């Protein structure tokens, strides 16, 4: 198969869809494809240089006439410019809004001379498609795409349920790259963090938005901590952080809850955990759960969205009813006290993450869809 020239657009800042898009671009470049990131700033996970990776910044100029600067149009114009100049085969956009719509416009500008793949990540459907002012345009962007993927079977179904979709949607799960785990040394990092031998560590990682229910994580931890000597490490940042800091204070947990903020070495940090809590009320896949599993940390997750496609109940962790933080706490206490079960879940988690969700399994699935889309175009 000939190497492809691929434009990738995503949100470049911290967030699961940006992480997946960037990691995918890097792996595709390593497999010989030419990758052009077309984004508003350099994707934060793009930490390495590669001769096959190019970056094109989308710069929106400010004019007095604009109340709202037209990012979507500037992006479409940039996509068309890059696609024409570098003879791209396809644009792969991550997150429907506004990327699928901008890509569709770019394709029109090029007289149809580029293919568009849209990957749905979650809130672009589960939150934004609920908004009547956006639903029509999201539907249009998806229907105009040549190929559509979603990150879980749950999200495929949800998209069909919420919108009038004409084309087929393939599930392609999130992935991990085992090479990122080579430096992870759980014992060393626990030592650095001064974790005592008789202490347990609960971890949570998210963008601190309402759907993540970080308050439930903190309330569950309060119950765990009343029975087990433990600490809670919160990785990430976002709009709810200050409210959560206040909650921690009001519960008198200042000494054992640590807000680490946004971090680059997420695998190292997750590896200090004995249990990861993911109690979101919406979660199309749960990349953070997969990342924890890959370093052998069992996950206690809510029974919503695609979490149970990642976490296997009583095999790699525990699934609890959403909003039932007391039950999450009970399960955590039980698991932390049962060394044998914990070791089994830990080993199963790592194995499942590195077998079912390895880059070597998932990246070729995207590649195969690219070739299929381009081949369909020739017929
Ligand atoms: O979790 C977030 O709010 C960030 C969001 C994003 O688009 O950056 O994550 C979504 O995409 C991730 C990568 O595909 C998924 O693993 C997350 O489950 C999904 N988040 C939600 O559905 C809330």
């Amino acid at each position: 198969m000939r190497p492809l020239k691929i434009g990738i657009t995503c949100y470049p800042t911290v967030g699961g869809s940006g992480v997946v898009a960037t990691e995918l671009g890097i792996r595709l470049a390593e497999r010989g494809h030419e990758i052009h990131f077309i984004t508003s700033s350099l994707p934060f996970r793009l930490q390495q240089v590669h001769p096959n990776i190019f970056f094109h910044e989308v710069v929106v100029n400010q004019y007095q006439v604009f109340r709202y600067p037209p990012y979507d149009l500037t992006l479409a114009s940039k996509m068309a410019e890059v696609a024409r100049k570098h003879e791209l085969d396809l644009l792969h956009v991550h997150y429907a809004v506004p990327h699928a719509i901008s890509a569709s416009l770019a394709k029109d500008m090029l007289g149809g001379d580029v293919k568009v793949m849209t990957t749905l990540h979650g809130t672009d459907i589960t939150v934004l498609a609920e908004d009547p002012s956006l639903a029509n345009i999201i539907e249009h962007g998806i229907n105009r795409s040549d190929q559509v993927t979603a990150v879980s079977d749950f999200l495929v179904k949800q998209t069909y349920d919420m919108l009038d979709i004409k084309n087929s949607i393939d599930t392609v799960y999130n992935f991990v790259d085992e090479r990122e785990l080579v430096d992870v040394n759980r014992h060393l990092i626990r030592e650095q963090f001064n974790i005592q031998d008789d202490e347990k560590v609960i971890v949570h990682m998210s963008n601190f938005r309402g759907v993540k229910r970080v308050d439930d994580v903190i309330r569950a931890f309060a119950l765990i901590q009343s029975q087990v000597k433990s600490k809670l490490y919160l990785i990430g940042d976002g709009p709810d952080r200050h409210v959560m800091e206040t909650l921690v204070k009001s519960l008198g947990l200042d000494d054992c809850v640590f807000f680490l903020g946004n971090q680059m070495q997420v695998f190292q940090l997750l590896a200090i955990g004995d249990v990861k809590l993911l109690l979101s009320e919406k979660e199309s896949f749960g990349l953070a759960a997969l990342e924890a599993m890959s370093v052998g940390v069992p996950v206690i997750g809510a029974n919503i969205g695609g979490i149970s496609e990642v976490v296997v109940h009583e095999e790699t962790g525990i699934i609890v009813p959403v909003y039932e933080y007391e039950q999450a706490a009970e399960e955590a206490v039980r698991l932390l006290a049962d060394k044998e079960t914990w070791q089994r879940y830990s080993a199963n988690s790592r194995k499942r993450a590195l077998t079912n969700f390895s880059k070597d399994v998932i990246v070729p699935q995207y590649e195969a869809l690219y070739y299929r889309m381009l081949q369909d175009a020739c017929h």
Side-chain angles (χ1 to χ4, degrees):
M1 292 285 197
R2 72 177 171 93
L4 301 175
K5 294 185 175 191
I6 303 167
I8 292 184
T9 295
C10 63
Y11 285 107
T13 49
V14 183
S17 57
V19 171
V20 170
T22 310
E23 297 289 346
L24 175 63
I26 295 168
R27 307 308 151 220
L28 289 167
E30 288 170 354
R31 291 167 75 88
H33 304 289
E34 187 176 299
I35 303 301
H36 295 261
F37 284 100
I38 308 168
T39 47
S40 59
S41 59
L42 193 70
F44 84 101
R45 274 276 181 110
L46 194 55
Q47 298 285 319
Q48 65 215 76
V49 289
H50 193 286
N52 286 359
I53 296 182
F54 302 83
F55 168 55
H56 308 271
E57 188 171 353
V58 182
V59 181
V60 186
N61 292 328
Q62 303 281 347
Y63 295 100
Q64 262 193 342
V65 70
F66 294 140
R67 185 162 167 209
Y68 306 107
Y71 174 72
D72 318 356
L73 300 181
T74 310
L75 172 61
S77 173
K78 191 73 177 178
M79 284 170 161
E81 176 198 315
V82 175
R84 191 177 289 123
K85 187 167 171 198
H86 296 276
E87 299 179 330
L88 299 188
D89 294 292
L90 65 114
L91 296 165
H92 185 175
V93 299
H94 294 258
Y95 210 86
V97 189
H99 305 147
I101 298 99
S102 301
S104 163
L105 269 177
K107 182 176 170 173
D108 286 347
M109 291 167 75
L110 295 162
D113 205 15
V114 72
K115 294 292 148 198
V116 174
M117 181 189 283
T118 296
T119 290
L120 307 171
H121 281 271
T123 48
D124 43 357
I125 300 299
T126 57
V127 175
L128 300 184
E130 267 187 353
D131 179 343
S133 73
L134 288 173
N136 284 346
I137 193 75
I138 295 173
E139 193 175 276
H140 180 73
I142 294 172
N143 283 330
R144 288 291 315 267
S145 302
D146 299 288
Q147 171 71 53
V148 185
T149 72
V151 298
S152 61
D153 292 341
F154 157 81
L155 189 56
V156 171
K157 183 173 181 313
Q158 188 79 0
T159 307
Y160 283 123
D161 287 350
M162 292 179 74
L163 300 170
D164 185 11
I165 299 301
K166 311 280 184 228
N167 33 13
S168 70
I169 307 176
D170 290 82
T171 298
V172 183
Y173 288 128
N174 291 174
F175 62 94
V176 278
D177 184 342
E178 54 283 3
R179 291 173 302 180
E180 305 220 34
L181 312 179
V182 286
D183 292 335
V184 173
N185 183 333
R186 174 178 161 89
H187 299 291
L188 186 67
I189 188 130
R190 278 174 82 100
E191 221 172 272
Q192 284 170 352
F193 276 70
N194 204 20
I195 311 290
Q196 308 300 306
D197 287 346
D198 61 344
E199 243 175 0
K200 300 295 181 188
V201 174
I202 311 299
V203 285
H204 169 81
M205 181 166 80
S206 73
N207 54 12
F208 282 65
R209 293 186 187 276
V211 293
K212 300 293 176 179
R213 297 201 65 86
V214 184
D215 49 344
D216 279 355
V217 170
I218 293 169
R219 288 182 206 284
F221 174 71
L223 296 171
I224 297 168
Q225 190 265 347
S226 66
Q227 299 166 69
V228 180
K229 187 177 173 193
S230 51
K231 286 175 173 166
L232 171 64
Y233 284 91
L234 295 161
I235 307 161
D237 210 334
D240 284 0
R241 173 157 172 183
H242 289 300
V243 180
M244 297 308 143
E245 284 172 345
T246 308
L247 177 63
V248 165
K249 211 179 205 39
S250 72
L251 292 170
L253 296 172
D254 268 342
D255 290 348
C256 46
V257 178
F258 303 90
F259 289 83
L260 300 181
N262 285 329
Q263 297 265 345
M264 283 304 295
Q265 302 299 323
V266 294
F267 294 100
Q268 301 272 5
L269 291 170
L270 288 169
I272 65 172
D274 293 289
V275 160
K276 181 193 158 57
L277 291 179
L278 186 61
L279 305 179
S280 319
E281 62 186 1
K282 288 181 193 290
E283 199 68 70
S284 63
F285 179 89
L287 179 61
L290 177 63
E291 290 178 331
M293 285 166 61
S294 71
V295 290
V297 178
V299 175
I300 295 183
N303 66 338
I304 44 90
I307 292 183
S308 56
E309 292 175 56
V310 187
V311 178
V312 181
H313 184 59
E314 292 184 344
E315 201 178 290
T316 70
I318 301 284
I319 300 289
V320 293
V322 63
Y323 309 127
E324 300 285 335
Y325 68 84
E326 290 102 336
Q327 193 174 331
E330 276 168 32
E331 296 290 358
V333 170
R334 197 171 305 136
L335 184 57
L336 292 171
D338 180 349
K339 197 170 171 191
E340 204 179 296
T341 304
W342 185 89
Q343 277 173 342
R344 194 173 72 246
Y345 286 5
S346 169
N348 288 347
S349 292
R350 193 175 160 84
K351 187 169 170 216
R352 180 169 167 75
L354 300 184
T355 310
N356 299 35
F357 303 100
S358 152
K359 69 167 192 336
D360 297 330
V361 172
I362 304 297
V363 175
Q365 292 179 11
Y366 278 116
E367 248 176 352
L369 290 173
Y370 295 154
Y371 287 117
R372 189 178 82 185
M373 171 171 76
L374 290 165
Q375 200 179 0
D376 285 352
C378 300
H379 294 147

